[in-house]
Amino acid sequence: MSRLRVLFAASECTPLAKVGGLGDVVGALPGALRRRGHDVRVVIPRYRRTMQAVATRLARPLRVTMRDRVLESAVYETRLPSDDVPVYLVEHDELFDRDGIYGGVAHGYDDNARRFAFLSLAAVALEAVTGFDPDVVHFHDWPTALGPVHMRIRGARAASVLTIHNLAHQGAFGLEHSETLGFGRDAAALVGVEHAGGVNFLRGGIVSATRVATVSPRYAAEMLTLEGGAGLSETLRGRANPITGILNGIDDVLWDPRTDPHLPANFDASSLAEKAVCKRVLQRSLGLRERADVALLGCIARFVHQKGIDVLAQALPALLALDVQLAVLGAGEPWAERFFARLSASSPNVRAVIGYDEGLAHRIEAGADFFLMPSRYEPCGLNQLYSQRYGTLPIVRAVGGLADSVEHGVTGFVFEELSPESLVDAVKTALAVRRDSERFRAIQRAAMTKRMGWDQAAPQYEALYRLAMRDRAHEA
Ligand code: ADP
Protein backbone atom coordinates (compact mmCIF):
# COMPACT_ATOMS: atom_id res chain seq x y z
CA MET A 1 0.00 0.00 0.00
CA SER A 2 1.26 3.44 -0.84
CA ARG A 3 2.41 5.85 1.81
CA LEU A 4 -0.15 8.58 2.48
CA ARG A 5 0.63 12.23 3.05
CA VAL A 6 -1.91 13.77 5.42
CA LEU A 7 -2.09 17.24 6.91
CA PHE A 8 -4.16 17.63 10.09
CA ALA A 9 -5.59 21.15 10.40
CA ALA A 10 -6.99 21.98 13.82
CA SER A 11 -7.40 24.54 16.56
CA GLU A 12 -6.01 22.23 19.27
CA CYS A 13 -3.25 19.66 19.54
CA THR A 14 -2.34 18.07 22.87
CA PRO A 15 0.05 18.83 24.57
CA LEU A 16 0.66 22.13 22.76
CA ALA A 17 -2.86 23.50 23.02
CA LYS A 18 -5.76 21.57 24.54
CA VAL A 19 -9.26 22.43 25.60
CA GLY A 20 -10.96 19.05 25.21
CA GLY A 21 -11.15 15.74 23.41
CA LEU A 22 -10.47 17.32 20.02
CA GLY A 23 -6.98 18.24 21.17
CA ASP A 24 -6.34 14.69 22.33
CA VAL A 25 -7.33 13.24 18.95
CA VAL A 26 -5.13 15.66 17.03
CA GLY A 27 -2.29 15.01 19.46
CA ALA A 28 -2.44 11.22 19.16
CA LEU A 29 -3.90 10.04 15.84
CA PRO A 30 -1.09 11.50 13.66
CA GLY A 31 1.48 9.50 15.64
CA ALA A 32 -0.54 6.29 15.26
CA LEU A 33 -0.71 6.88 11.50
CA ARG A 34 3.02 7.58 11.32
CA ARG A 35 3.65 4.26 13.04
CA ARG A 36 1.80 2.73 10.09
CA GLY A 37 4.30 4.35 7.77
CA HIS A 38 2.44 7.47 6.66
CA ASP A 39 3.75 11.01 6.52
CA VAL A 40 1.35 12.90 8.77
CA ARG A 41 1.82 16.47 9.91
CA VAL A 42 -0.28 18.98 11.84
CA VAL A 43 -1.01 22.68 11.56
CA ILE A 44 -2.39 24.78 14.43
CA PRO A 45 -2.16 28.47 15.34
CA ARG A 46 0.80 29.80 17.28
CA TYR A 47 -1.14 30.75 20.41
CA ARG A 48 0.51 32.55 23.30
CA ARG A 49 0.69 29.23 25.15
CA THR A 50 2.51 27.52 22.26
CA MET A 51 5.19 30.19 22.06
CA GLN A 52 7.41 28.40 24.60
CA ALA A 53 7.61 25.31 22.42
CA VAL A 54 11.04 24.83 20.88
CA ALA A 55 10.40 25.64 17.25
CA THR A 56 12.23 26.64 14.10
CA ARG A 57 10.99 29.53 12.06
CA LEU A 58 10.60 28.58 8.41
CA ALA A 59 12.40 30.75 5.89
CA ARG A 60 9.40 31.81 3.86
CA PRO A 61 6.37 33.69 5.20
CA LEU A 62 2.85 32.44 4.58
CA ARG A 63 0.59 34.72 2.59
CA VAL A 64 -3.14 34.45 3.20
CA THR A 65 -5.63 36.59 1.31
CA MET A 66 -8.71 37.49 3.33
CA ARG A 67 -10.98 39.36 0.94
CA ASP A 68 -8.72 42.10 -0.37
CA ARG A 69 -6.11 42.09 2.40
CA VAL A 70 -3.01 39.98 2.19
CA LEU A 71 -1.96 38.82 5.65
CA GLU A 72 1.63 37.73 6.06
CA SER A 73 2.50 35.22 8.75
CA ALA A 74 5.57 33.46 10.00
CA VAL A 75 5.32 29.68 10.24
CA TYR A 76 7.24 27.74 12.90
CA GLU A 77 7.92 24.04 12.96
CA THR A 78 8.03 22.00 16.12
CA ARG A 79 7.62 18.28 16.91
CA LEU A 80 5.24 16.38 19.15
CA PRO A 81 7.05 14.57 21.96
CA SER A 82 5.67 11.22 20.78
CA ASP A 83 6.43 9.85 17.33
CA ASP A 84 8.21 13.04 16.29
CA VAL A 85 5.13 14.36 14.46
CA PRO A 86 5.94 17.67 12.72
CA VAL A 87 3.64 20.49 13.80
CA TYR A 88 3.43 23.79 11.97
CA LEU A 89 2.52 26.77 14.11
CA VAL A 90 1.01 29.62 12.13
CA GLU A 91 1.76 32.95 13.71
CA HIS A 92 -0.58 35.89 13.61
CA ASP A 93 -0.30 37.75 16.87
CA GLU A 94 -3.24 40.03 16.27
CA LEU A 95 -5.46 36.91 16.18
CA PHE A 96 -3.72 34.36 18.39
CA ASP A 97 -1.44 36.05 20.91
CA ARG A 98 -3.97 35.78 23.76
CA ASP A 99 -4.35 33.69 26.88
CA GLY A 100 -7.28 31.65 25.62
CA ILE A 101 -7.91 29.50 22.59
CA TYR A 102 -11.57 30.33 22.04
CA GLY A 103 -12.27 32.89 24.77
CA GLY A 104 -14.85 32.45 27.53
CA VAL A 105 -17.03 29.35 27.72
CA ALA A 106 -20.28 31.27 27.30
CA HIS A 107 -19.05 33.74 24.70
CA GLY A 108 -16.00 33.21 22.57
CA TYR A 109 -13.83 36.07 21.39
CA ASP A 110 -15.75 38.58 19.27
CA ASP A 111 -13.47 38.00 16.32
CA ASN A 112 -13.57 34.18 16.35
CA ALA A 113 -15.10 34.10 12.87
CA ARG A 114 -12.12 35.97 11.54
CA ARG A 115 -9.56 34.07 13.64
CA PHE A 116 -10.67 30.66 12.46
CA ALA A 117 -11.47 31.70 8.92
CA PHE A 118 -7.82 32.72 8.83
CA LEU A 119 -6.71 29.35 10.25
CA SER A 120 -8.76 27.47 7.64
CA LEU A 121 -7.23 29.51 4.84
CA ALA A 122 -3.74 29.20 6.28
CA ALA A 123 -4.03 25.40 6.31
CA VAL A 124 -5.03 25.37 2.66
CA ALA A 125 -2.20 27.75 1.70
CA LEU A 126 0.49 26.10 3.82
CA GLU A 127 2.04 23.97 1.10
CA ALA A 128 3.62 27.09 -0.44
CA VAL A 129 5.93 27.50 2.55
CA THR A 130 6.42 23.92 3.76
CA GLY A 131 6.63 22.12 0.43
CA PHE A 132 4.45 19.41 2.01
CA ASP A 133 1.94 18.37 -0.63
CA PRO A 134 -0.76 16.31 1.13
CA ASP A 135 -3.01 13.68 -0.45
CA VAL A 136 -5.60 14.45 2.22
CA VAL A 137 -6.18 17.43 4.45
CA HIS A 138 -7.98 16.34 7.59
CA PHE A 139 -9.98 19.13 9.26
CA HIS A 140 -11.46 19.05 12.75
CA ASP A 141 -14.66 20.74 13.90
CA TRP A 142 -15.90 24.20 13.03
CA PRO A 143 -12.66 26.13 13.60
CA THR A 144 -11.18 24.60 10.45
CA ALA A 145 -14.41 23.70 8.66
CA LEU A 146 -13.99 26.46 6.06
CA GLY A 147 -10.92 24.59 4.84
CA PRO A 148 -12.91 22.08 2.75
CA VAL A 149 -14.91 25.01 1.35
CA HIS A 150 -11.78 26.80 0.16
CA MET A 151 -10.34 23.59 -1.25
CA ARG A 152 -13.51 23.04 -3.24
CA ILE A 153 -13.58 26.59 -4.56
CA ARG A 154 -9.95 26.30 -5.62
CA GLY A 155 -10.35 22.85 -7.10
CA ALA A 156 -7.54 21.56 -4.90
CA ARG A 157 -6.02 18.24 -5.91
CA ALA A 158 -6.06 16.86 -2.38
CA ALA A 159 -9.12 15.26 -0.81
CA SER A 160 -10.63 16.80 2.31
CA VAL A 161 -11.90 14.95 5.36
CA LEU A 162 -13.83 16.70 8.12
CA THR A 163 -14.18 15.05 11.52
CA ILE A 164 -17.03 16.32 13.69
CA HIS A 165 -16.09 16.00 17.34
CA ASN A 166 -19.21 17.72 18.65
CA LEU A 167 -22.08 18.80 16.45
CA ALA A 168 -23.26 21.34 19.01
CA HIS A 169 -20.39 23.68 18.17
CA GLN A 170 -20.92 24.93 14.66
CA GLY A 171 -19.22 28.28 14.35
CA ALA A 172 -22.47 30.13 13.71
CA PHE A 173 -22.06 33.89 13.30
CA GLY A 174 -24.09 36.83 12.06
CA LEU A 175 -24.11 37.52 8.35
CA GLU A 176 -21.98 40.62 8.87
CA HIS A 177 -19.05 38.26 9.55
CA SER A 178 -19.18 36.88 6.01
CA GLU A 179 -16.99 39.83 5.04
CA THR A 180 -14.17 38.35 7.07
CA LEU A 181 -14.34 34.77 5.86
CA GLY A 182 -12.16 35.09 2.84
CA PHE A 183 -14.91 35.07 0.25
CA GLY A 184 -17.85 37.30 -0.59
CA ARG A 185 -21.48 36.80 0.40
CA ASP A 186 -22.58 35.10 -2.80
CA ALA A 187 -19.82 32.55 -2.59
CA ALA A 188 -20.65 31.88 1.05
CA ALA A 189 -24.22 30.99 0.14
CA LEU A 190 -23.05 28.92 -2.79
CA VAL A 191 -20.88 26.58 -0.77
CA GLY A 192 -23.31 26.05 2.07
CA VAL A 193 -21.78 28.39 4.62
CA GLU A 194 -24.81 30.65 4.71
CA HIS A 195 -27.47 29.14 6.91
CA ALA A 196 -30.46 30.31 8.94
CA GLY A 197 -29.78 33.99 8.29
CA GLY A 198 -26.12 33.81 9.25
CA VAL A 199 -22.93 31.98 8.44
CA ASN A 200 -22.23 28.50 9.70
CA PHE A 201 -18.68 27.19 9.38
CA LEU A 202 -19.53 23.57 10.12
CA ARG A 203 -22.33 23.46 7.60
CA GLY A 204 -19.95 24.73 4.92
CA GLY A 205 -17.51 21.99 5.81
CA ILE A 206 -20.19 19.28 5.78
CA VAL A 207 -21.39 20.36 2.35
CA SER A 208 -17.89 20.72 0.90
CA ALA A 209 -15.69 17.99 2.39
CA THR A 210 -14.94 14.95 0.28
CA ARG A 211 -15.73 12.77 3.31
CA VAL A 212 -17.19 13.48 6.74
CA ALA A 213 -16.39 11.45 9.83
CA THR A 214 -17.30 11.54 13.47
CA VAL A 215 -15.98 10.01 16.64
CA SER A 216 -18.25 6.99 17.09
CA PRO A 217 -20.56 4.90 14.88
CA ARG A 218 -23.57 5.50 17.15
CA TYR A 219 -23.09 9.27 17.06
CA ALA A 220 -22.81 9.08 13.26
CA ALA A 221 -26.32 7.59 13.22
CA GLU A 222 -27.70 9.90 15.92
CA MET A 223 -26.65 13.05 14.08
CA LEU A 224 -28.89 12.13 11.13
CA THR A 225 -31.98 12.37 13.32
CA LEU A 226 -33.90 15.56 13.92
CA GLU A 227 -33.32 15.19 17.65
CA GLY A 228 -29.58 14.57 17.41
CA GLY A 229 -28.76 16.71 14.39
CA ALA A 230 -28.51 20.11 16.11
CA GLY A 231 -30.21 21.71 13.11
CA LEU A 232 -27.87 20.08 10.59
CA SER A 233 -29.46 16.63 10.20
CA GLU A 234 -30.86 17.50 6.79
CA THR A 235 -27.49 18.78 5.60
CA LEU A 236 -25.83 15.61 6.86
CA ARG A 237 -28.41 13.37 5.23
CA GLY A 238 -28.00 15.28 1.99
CA ARG A 239 -24.38 14.21 1.55
CA ALA A 240 -23.59 11.91 -1.34
CA ASN A 241 -21.62 9.52 0.87
CA PRO A 242 -22.35 8.39 4.43
CA ILE A 243 -20.88 9.81 7.64
CA THR A 244 -18.18 7.46 8.91
CA GLY A 245 -18.11 6.76 12.64
CA ILE A 246 -14.70 5.88 14.08
CA LEU A 247 -14.38 5.47 17.82
CA ASN A 248 -11.59 7.54 19.33
CA GLY A 249 -8.68 5.78 20.91
CA ILE A 250 -7.02 6.84 24.13
CA ASP A 251 -3.46 7.83 24.81
CA ASP A 252 -2.45 4.55 26.40
CA VAL A 253 0.91 5.87 27.56
CA LEU A 254 -0.57 8.81 29.49
CA TRP A 255 -3.44 6.67 30.74
CA ASP A 256 -1.75 3.49 31.87
CA PRO A 257 -2.36 2.37 35.46
CA ARG A 258 0.88 0.37 35.36
CA THR A 259 3.04 3.47 34.95
CA ASP A 260 0.81 6.48 35.71
CA PRO A 261 3.02 8.86 37.75
CA HIS A 262 -0.01 10.60 39.29
CA LEU A 263 -0.97 7.50 41.30
CA PRO A 264 0.19 6.50 44.78
CA ALA A 265 0.43 2.89 43.54
CA ASN A 266 0.51 1.35 40.10
CA PHE A 267 -1.46 -1.71 39.07
CA ASP A 268 -2.87 -3.84 36.32
CA ALA A 269 -5.56 -6.49 35.99
CA SER A 270 -3.45 -8.97 37.95
CA SER A 271 -2.52 -6.65 40.82
CA LEU A 272 -5.78 -5.09 41.91
CA ALA A 273 -4.62 -4.89 45.54
CA GLU A 274 -2.67 -1.82 44.45
CA LYS A 275 -5.88 -0.32 43.12
CA ALA A 276 -7.24 -0.61 46.67
CA VAL A 277 -4.28 1.52 47.79
CA CYS A 278 -5.29 4.16 45.25
CA LYS A 279 -8.82 4.11 46.65
CA ARG A 280 -7.66 4.49 50.24
CA VAL A 281 -5.30 7.35 49.43
CA LEU A 282 -7.99 9.08 47.40
CA GLN A 283 -10.50 8.78 50.22
CA ARG A 284 -7.95 10.17 52.67
CA SER A 285 -6.90 13.06 50.46
CA LEU A 286 -10.52 14.08 49.89
CA GLY A 287 -11.51 13.70 53.53
CA LEU A 288 -13.84 10.76 52.91
CA ARG A 289 -13.92 7.89 55.38
CA GLU A 290 -11.33 5.26 54.49
CA ARG A 291 -13.62 2.34 53.92
CA ALA A 292 -12.77 -0.45 51.50
CA ASP A 293 -16.28 -1.89 51.65
CA VAL A 294 -18.15 1.20 50.51
CA ALA A 295 -18.46 1.77 46.77
CA LEU A 296 -16.75 4.95 45.64
CA LEU A 297 -18.36 6.56 42.61
CA GLY A 298 -16.30 8.97 40.50
CA CYS A 299 -17.42 11.67 38.12
CA ILE A 300 -15.18 14.02 36.14
CA ALA A 301 -16.89 16.32 33.71
CA ARG A 302 -17.46 19.75 32.39
CA PHE A 303 -20.59 20.84 34.26
CA VAL A 304 -22.74 21.38 31.21
CA HIS A 305 -26.16 20.27 29.97
CA GLN A 306 -24.57 17.69 27.63
CA LYS A 307 -23.10 15.73 30.52
CA GLY A 308 -26.46 15.29 32.32
CA ILE A 309 -24.99 16.90 35.40
CA ASP A 310 -28.52 18.05 36.33
CA VAL A 311 -29.70 14.43 36.25
CA LEU A 312 -26.87 13.43 38.56
CA ALA A 313 -27.80 16.27 40.90
CA GLN A 314 -31.42 15.12 40.99
CA ALA A 315 -30.37 11.52 41.59
CA LEU A 316 -28.11 12.33 44.53
CA PRO A 317 -30.56 11.99 47.42
CA ALA A 318 -31.48 8.48 46.25
CA LEU A 319 -27.86 7.61 45.45
CA LEU A 320 -26.59 8.67 48.84
CA ALA A 321 -29.26 6.58 50.52
CA LEU A 322 -27.46 3.55 49.03
CA ASP A 323 -24.37 3.98 51.25
CA VAL A 324 -21.96 5.05 48.56
CA GLN A 325 -19.30 7.73 48.38
CA LEU A 326 -19.03 10.19 45.54
CA ALA A 327 -15.93 12.02 44.27
CA VAL A 328 -16.71 14.75 41.74
CA LEU A 329 -14.26 16.85 39.79
CA GLY A 330 -15.44 19.50 37.41
CA ALA A 331 -16.28 23.06 36.61
CA GLY A 332 -18.80 24.83 34.45
CA GLU A 333 -22.33 26.06 34.97
CA PRO A 334 -22.44 28.16 38.16
CA TRP A 335 -25.54 26.45 39.59
CA ALA A 336 -23.75 23.08 39.39
CA GLU A 337 -20.56 24.40 40.94
CA ARG A 338 -22.59 25.84 43.82
CA PHE A 339 -24.67 22.67 44.19
CA PHE A 340 -21.71 20.32 44.43
CA ALA A 341 -19.67 22.67 46.60
CA ARG A 342 -22.56 22.92 49.08
CA LEU A 343 -23.14 19.19 49.10
CA SER A 344 -19.44 18.60 49.56
CA ALA A 345 -19.48 20.80 52.67
CA SER A 346 -22.61 19.22 54.15
CA SER A 347 -22.44 15.52 53.27
CA PRO A 348 -19.75 13.24 54.72
CA ASN A 349 -20.01 11.00 51.65
CA VAL A 350 -19.56 13.58 48.90
CA ARG A 351 -16.43 15.45 47.95
CA ALA A 352 -16.45 17.83 45.02
CA VAL A 353 -13.42 19.63 43.73
CA ILE A 354 -14.42 22.55 41.57
CA GLY A 355 -11.79 23.30 38.99
CA TYR A 356 -9.52 21.57 36.51
CA ASP A 357 -6.97 19.16 37.96
CA GLU A 358 -5.23 16.68 35.68
CA GLY A 359 -3.54 14.76 38.53
CA LEU A 360 -6.74 14.40 40.52
CA ALA A 361 -8.54 13.21 37.39
CA HIS A 362 -6.05 10.33 37.16
CA ARG A 363 -6.39 9.57 40.87
CA ILE A 364 -10.19 9.46 40.69
CA GLU A 365 -10.03 7.19 37.63
CA ALA A 366 -7.75 4.87 39.59
CA GLY A 367 -9.27 5.08 43.06
CA ALA A 368 -13.00 4.88 42.33
CA ASP A 369 -14.95 1.64 41.92
CA PHE A 370 -17.43 3.05 39.42
CA PHE A 371 -17.51 6.02 37.09
CA LEU A 372 -20.73 7.91 36.30
CA MET A 373 -21.59 9.34 32.87
CA PRO A 374 -25.31 10.14 32.57
CA SER A 375 -24.79 12.10 29.34
CA ARG A 376 -27.60 13.58 27.27
CA TYR A 377 -25.45 12.97 24.25
CA GLU A 378 -21.81 11.98 23.95
CA PRO A 379 -20.02 12.02 20.59
CA CYS A 380 -17.34 9.65 21.90
CA GLY A 381 -16.39 10.34 25.49
CA LEU A 382 -13.00 9.54 26.93
CA ASN A 383 -13.58 9.03 30.61
CA GLN A 384 -15.50 5.79 30.11
CA LEU A 385 -12.46 4.48 28.22
CA TYR A 386 -9.96 5.65 30.85
CA SER A 387 -12.07 4.21 33.62
CA GLN A 388 -12.25 0.81 31.91
CA ARG A 389 -8.48 0.79 31.61
CA TYR A 390 -8.24 1.56 35.33
CA GLY A 391 -10.72 -1.14 36.35
CA THR A 392 -13.25 1.50 37.41
CA LEU A 393 -16.44 0.25 35.85
CA PRO A 394 -18.31 2.92 33.91
CA ILE A 395 -22.04 3.41 34.45
CA VAL A 396 -23.14 5.17 31.28
CA ARG A 397 -26.19 6.20 29.35
CA ALA A 398 -26.67 4.37 26.03
CA VAL A 399 -25.78 7.27 23.73
CA GLY A 400 -23.10 7.94 21.16
CA GLY A 401 -19.66 6.64 21.95
CA LEU A 402 -20.76 5.47 25.39
CA ALA A 403 -23.09 2.93 23.78
CA ASP A 404 -20.31 1.89 21.39
CA SER A 405 -17.63 1.39 24.02
CA VAL A 406 -19.33 -0.01 27.10
CA GLU A 407 -21.00 -3.41 27.08
CA HIS A 408 -23.59 -3.90 29.80
CA GLY A 409 -22.50 -6.50 32.29
CA VAL A 410 -19.31 -7.18 30.30
CA THR A 411 -17.16 -4.05 30.63
CA GLY A 412 -19.49 -1.77 32.60
CA PHE A 413 -23.14 -0.86 33.02
CA VAL A 414 -25.46 0.82 30.54
CA PHE A 415 -28.86 2.47 31.04
CA GLU A 416 -31.24 3.82 28.41
CA GLU A 417 -33.44 6.53 29.77
CA LEU A 418 -32.19 9.96 30.79
CA SER A 419 -33.71 10.17 34.26
CA PRO A 420 -32.53 10.15 37.86
CA GLU A 421 -34.45 6.90 38.40
CA SER A 422 -32.66 5.10 35.57
CA LEU A 423 -29.29 6.27 36.82
CA VAL A 424 -30.07 5.12 40.35
CA ASP A 425 -31.30 1.74 39.05
CA ALA A 426 -28.08 1.29 37.08
CA VAL A 427 -26.02 2.09 40.18
CA LYS A 428 -28.07 -0.45 42.15
CA THR A 429 -27.35 -3.09 39.49
CA ALA A 430 -23.65 -2.23 39.64
CA LEU A 431 -23.59 -2.45 43.44
CA ALA A 432 -25.29 -5.85 43.31
CA VAL A 433 -22.64 -7.11 40.91
CA ARG A 434 -19.91 -5.74 43.17
CA ARG A 435 -21.22 -7.88 46.02
CA ASP A 436 -20.44 -10.91 43.83
CA SER A 437 -16.69 -10.30 43.98
CA GLU A 438 -15.77 -12.99 41.47
CA ARG A 439 -18.09 -11.60 38.82
CA PHE A 440 -16.99 -8.06 39.63
CA ARG A 441 -13.32 -9.00 39.17
CA ALA A 442 -14.13 -10.70 35.87
CA ILE A 443 -15.77 -7.52 34.56
CA GLN A 444 -12.86 -5.43 35.80
CA ARG A 445 -10.41 -7.71 34.02
CA ALA A 446 -12.43 -7.63 30.79
CA ALA A 447 -12.54 -3.84 30.90
CA MET A 448 -8.85 -3.46 31.74
CA THR A 449 -7.55 -5.77 29.06
CA LYS A 450 -9.67 -4.40 26.23
CA ARG A 451 -7.60 -2.79 23.50
CA MET A 452 -8.47 0.85 22.99
CA GLY A 453 -5.34 2.65 21.90
CA TRP A 454 -5.11 4.65 18.70
CA ASP A 455 -3.78 1.64 16.86
CA GLN A 456 -7.43 0.52 16.59
CA ALA A 457 -8.66 3.78 15.04
CA ALA A 458 -5.68 4.49 12.77
CA PRO A 459 -6.39 1.75 10.17
CA GLN A 460 -10.00 2.91 9.97
CA TYR A 461 -8.92 6.49 9.25
CA GLU A 462 -6.43 5.17 6.75
CA ALA A 463 -9.25 3.37 4.91
CA LEU A 464 -11.34 6.55 5.01
CA TYR A 465 -8.48 8.59 3.53
CA ARG A 466 -8.20 6.12 0.65
CA LEU A 467 -11.97 6.37 0.03
CA ALA A 468 -11.72 10.16 0.06
CA MET A 469 -8.81 10.08 -2.40
CA ARG A 470 -10.77 7.78 -4.70
CA ASP A 471 -13.83 10.07 -4.50
CA ARG A 472 -11.69 13.11 -5.19
CA ALA A 473 -10.07 11.44 -8.20
CA HIS A 474 -13.53 10.60 -9.60
CA GLU A 475 -14.73 14.18 -9.14
CA ALA A 476 -11.65 15.56 -10.81
P1 ADP B 1 -15.52 16.41 26.60
O1 ADP B 1 -14.44 16.48 25.57
O2 ADP B 1 -16.92 16.50 26.06
O3 ADP B 1 -15.31 17.33 27.76
P2 ADP B 1 -14.51 13.74 27.09
O4 ADP B 1 -14.91 12.66 28.03
O5 ADP B 1 -14.41 13.37 25.66
O6 ADP B 1 -15.50 14.95 27.29
O7 ADP B 1 -13.11 14.32 27.52
C1 ADP B 1 -12.94 15.07 28.66
C2 ADP B 1 -11.48 15.10 29.03
O8 ADP B 1 -11.22 16.20 29.87
C3 ADP B 1 -11.06 13.90 29.81
O9 ADP B 1 -9.69 13.69 29.58
C4 ADP B 1 -11.33 14.34 31.25
O10 ADP B 1 -10.62 13.62 32.21
C5 ADP B 1 -10.88 15.75 31.17
N1 ADP B 1 -11.52 16.62 32.16
C6 ADP B 1 -12.76 17.15 32.13
N2 ADP B 1 -12.98 17.94 33.19
C7 ADP B 1 -11.86 17.90 33.93
C8 ADP B 1 -11.45 18.51 35.15
N3 ADP B 1 -12.26 19.32 35.83
N4 ADP B 1 -10.20 18.27 35.61
C9 ADP B 1 -9.39 17.43 34.93
N5 ADP B 1 -9.70 16.83 33.78
C10 ADP B 1 -10.92 17.06 33.27
Side-chain angles (χ1 to χ4, degrees):
M1 279 289 205
S2 61
R3 182 174 199 236
L4 299 176
R5 291 186 308 275
V6 183
L7 178 68
F8 276 56
S11 50
E12 303 176 32
C13 177
T14 305
L16 293 164
K18 167 181 172 170
V19 174
L22 155 64
D24 291 341
V25 174
V26 177
L29 178 56
L33 288 160
R34 281 177 83 86
R35 291 195 291 278
R36 296 178 62 81
H38 304 299
D39 187 354
V40 185
R41 309 184 190 188
V42 179
V43 57
I44 62 168
R46 189 165 187 255
Y47 300 108
R48 184 174 293 167
R49 67 181 73 182
T50 57
M51 287 179 185
Q52 298 87 339
V54 180
T56 318
R57 189 183 167 130
L58 302 188
R60 273 197 279 172
L62 179 70
R63 284 196 181 80
V64 171
T65 310
M66 306 245 331
R67 292 277 282 183
D68 40 9
R69 261 183 79 196
V70 178
L71 306 182
E72 230 184 59
S73 300
V75 178
Y76 291 74
E77 184 178 344
T78 183
R79 302 268 161 161
L80 289 183
S82 69
D83 303 290
D84 216 28
V85 176
V87 181
Y88 300 111
L89 305 168
V90 178
E91 183 178 68
H92 202 78
D93 286 347
E94 181 200 331
L95 300 177
F96 299 118
D97 182 12
R98 322 180 175 182
D99 286 329
I101 290 183
Y102 306 113
V105 177
H107 301 284
Y109 294 122
D110 287 341
D111 56 350
N112 271 352
R114 183 173 154 75
R115 296 172 74 227
F116 293 108
F118 170 83
L119 174 61
S120 302
L121 272 165
V124 172
L126 194 68
E127 186 187 329
V129 294
T130 61
F132 181 61
D133 162 29
D135 299 309
V136 177
V137 187
H138 187 170
F139 299 94
H140 296 266
D141 272 355
W142 77 264
T144 51
L146 291 186
V149 179
H150 287 293
M151 286 176 69
R152 193 158 288 275
I153 291 172
R154 293 170 184 209
R157 183 198 65 85
S160 58
V161 170
L162 171 68
T163 290
I164 299 171
H165 297 260
N166 190 336
L167 197 55
H169 307 302
Q170 301 181 357
F173 302 97
L175 213 49
E176 67 279 10
H177 289 277
S178 63
E179 298 291 310
T180 70
L181 303 185
F183 31 60
R185 256 189 78 165
D186 294 349
L190 190 75
V191 290
V193 179
E194 200 171 312
H195 178 61
V199 292
N200 186 310
F201 279 39
L202 193 66
R203 187 173 188 278
I206 291 168
V207 170
S208 305
T210 321
R211 287 271 169 169
V212 175
T214 189
V215 291
S216 72
R218 176 74 73 107
Y219 192 56
E222 286 169 355
M223 62 170 59
L224 301 181
T225 66
L226 202 58
E227 198 193 5
L232 292 180
S233 59
E234 211 173 303
T235 307
L236 287 158
R237 283 198 306 270
R239 283 191 49 85
N241 48 41
I243 315 297
T244 306
I246 302 175
L247 198 69
N248 283 340
I250 60 172
D251 183 326
D252 51 10
V253 175
L254 227 59
W255 291 93
D256 184 347
R258 292 171 303 183
T259 53
D260 191 330
H262 296 292
L263 307 186
N266 291 106
F267 59 93
D268 63 14
S270 62
S271 57
L272 287 167
E274 310 302 318
K275 180 170 166 66
V277 174
C278 293
K279 177 173 175 178
R280 201 166 58 237
V281 174
L282 179 66
Q283 286 170 321
R284 188 182 313 153
S285 73
L286 293 176
L288 291 164
R289 283 186 58 198
E290 290 174 44
R291 282 174 59 193
D293 63 311
V294 71
L296 175 54
L297 315 178
C299 178
I300 306 166
R302 293 180 292 120
F303 291 166
V304 293
H305 194 64
Q306 176 195 339
K307 302 291 173 182
I309 211 76
D310 51 325
V311 175
L312 174 60
Q314 288 165 38
L316 271 177
L319 279 182
L320 293 175
L322 299 173
D323 186 29
V324 295
Q325 294 176 335
L326 178 67
V328 181
L329 169 62
E333 286 171 15
W335 75 263
E337 294 192 357
R338 278 196 304 271
F339 174 86
F340 284 106
R342 258 205 317 266
L343 198 65
S344 186
S346 62
S347 165
N349 292 324
V350 179
R351 285 298 174 269
V353 176
I354 309 301
Y356 192 94
D357 186 334
E358 193 84 30
L360 182 59
H362 285 246
R363 287 187 291 278
I364 291 177
E365 289 288 7
D369 298 293
F370 298 103
F371 195 93
L372 304 179
M373 294 183 82
S375 300
R376 272 197 171 72
Y377 71 93
E378 196 66 73
C380 176
L382 290 170
N383 281 313
Q384 84 281 10
L385 302 174
Y386 300 151
S387 62
Q388 287 177 69
R389 193 111 201 275
Y390 284 61
T392 300
L393 301 184
I395 300 174
V396 305
R397 180 153 178 261
V399 285
L402 301 178
D404 286 333
S405 63
V406 181
E407 225 182 314
H408 185 69
V410 179
T411 52
F413 303 91
V414 183
F415 61 97
E416 292 287 334
E417 203 193 310
L418 180 72
S419 69
E421 295 77 25
S422 302
L423 171 59
V424 173
D425 283 346
V427 172
K428 283 182 183 164
T429 305
L431 294 177
V433 168
R434 183 167 178 264
R435 285 191 284 273
D436 177 350
S437 59
E438 218 162 284
R439 176 150 178 237
F440 185 65
R441 288 267 179 275
I443 299 181
Q444 278 183 312
R445 266 195 300 275
M448 293 180 81
T449 50
K450 203 170 102 175
R451 295 187 57 190
M452 45 196 157
W454 279 101
D455 296 339
Q456 263 60 38
Q460 298 177 61
Y461 270 106
E462 187 182 311
L464 179 65
Y465 296 150
R466 293 198 194 280
L467 282 177
M469 286 163 65
R470 190 201 61 188
D471 292 348
R472 183 71 196 99
H474 281 186
E475 283 169 7

